[in-house]
Amino acid sequence: MSDKDLQENISKTIEELEKKVADKPKSVSAHHHLALVYRKAGRVDEAIAEFEKALEIDPLSTTSLINLSAIFFEKGDLDKAMATNEAALNVLPNLAQAHTNIGLIWQHKGNAEKAVAAHTEATRHDPKMATAWVNLATAQIMAGSFKKAVAAGRQAVALEPDFGMAHNNLAVALFYSKDLQDAKKHADKAKELGYAVDPRFMAALEEELK
């Protein structure tokens, strides 16, 4: 499908969803789906407005809270991202996605200890959530806990063997743990899976392997 066709399809979908919202202004689902498509189309402010309308109708909509938090995070508004994830946890305290989102926020704030705690909580609530283990590996690397980072990275790879980022993060943890051959294996696997491995990391790894 060409870019033009894709844009036309998105525009048509937006028109249909806007009509649905107009017909059913109290429908959380209608506002939520319109927000998702606005976001996909790059109409971020309109996406935020629609998620907020959905939450006006149903303040307990954790799906809307999580999606709204993702937009705030991408915009760099970490305080609003934190607040929306915390609101989601007030509704569902065991919501793993909200815990790992908070972990990512703490990473961006430079607090490795709180990031590790949040990602660990996510893995406790959903042990099969590969992204939570990937994020935990990153946070453990930040904290200097390289053996724990390796363990988290291996868990992510075991859960999703074709997850490029999982192989990449495991490679970094293995590098700092001085397991260079295994680090190279997982870095190569990450590249094979299409993940953009940092060339500076690859250069440092290759230098250590000489």
Side-chain angles (χ1 to χ4, degrees):
M1 182 180 291
S2 69
D3 290 342
K4 181 181 178 181
D5 289 339
L6 183 61
Q7 188 60 46
E8 287 177 354
N9 282 347
I10 291 176
S11 297
K12 182 179 179 182
T13 301
I14 287 174
E15 288 178 11
E16 291 171 352
L17 289 172
E18 286 176 337
K19 183 178 184 303
K20 187 172 182 180
V21 164
D23 292 340
K24 298 181 178 180
K26 295 298 183 181
S27 169
V28 173
S29 176
H31 286 290
H32 182 87
H33 286 116
L34 178 56
L36 290 174
V37 181
Y38 275 152
R39 183 184 178 191
K40 187 174 183 179
R43 294 164 64 171
V44 177
D45 290 340
E46 288 166 289
I48 291 172
E50 288 302 317
F51 281 130
E52 289 177 340
K53 286 176 185 175
L55 288 164
E56 285 176 14
I57 300 164
D58 181 9
L60 304 183
S61 174
T62 55
T63 306
S64 294
L65 286 165
I66 290 297
N67 281 289
L68 182 57
S69 76
I71 294 179
F72 288 141
F73 184 80
E74 289 168 1
K75 285 170 65 71
D77 194 336
L78 300 184
D79 290 338
K80 283 187 177 180
M82 181 72 81
T84 46
N85 280 296
E86 288 176 341
L89 290 178
N90 286 335
V91 180
L92 289 177
N94 63 345
L95 188 58
Q97 186 64 59
H99 284 291
T100 203
N101 287 352
I102 288 172
L104 288 171
I105 293 167
W106 284 122
Q107 283 174 228
H108 278 259
K109 286 176 174 283
N111 193 321
E113 183 179 351
K114 288 188 175 181
V116 167
H119 293 312
T120 299
E121 192 70 3
T123 62
R124 186 174 73 84
H125 290 299
D126 187 355
K128 294 184 178 181
M129 185 181 180
T131 53
W133 289 105
V134 169
N135 293 335
L136 178 57
T138 303
Q140 294 284 19
I141 292 168
M142 284 180 63
S145 301
F146 303 128
K147 289 183 178 179
K148 290 181 178 180
V150 168
R154 290 198 188 283
Q155 184 65 25
V157 167
L159 287 167
E160 291 192 24
D162 294 332
F163 191 0
M165 184 184 289
H167 286 280
N168 176 80
N169 289 16
L170 176 54
V172 174
L174 288 163
F175 173 83
Y176 284 113
S177 296
K178 303 302 180 183
D179 192 344
L180 301 179
Q181 292 295 338
D182 209 13
K184 180 68 163 57
K185 181 183 77 173
H186 285 285
D188 287 343
K189 184 64 176 178
K191 291 172 68 176
E192 178 187 321
L193 291 167
Y195 185 83
V197 178
D198 190 329
R200 295 169 298 179
F201 170 69
M202 288 302 298
L205 178 55
E206 295 285 358
E207 183 65 27
E208 288 292 325
L209 283 167
K210 286 182 180 178

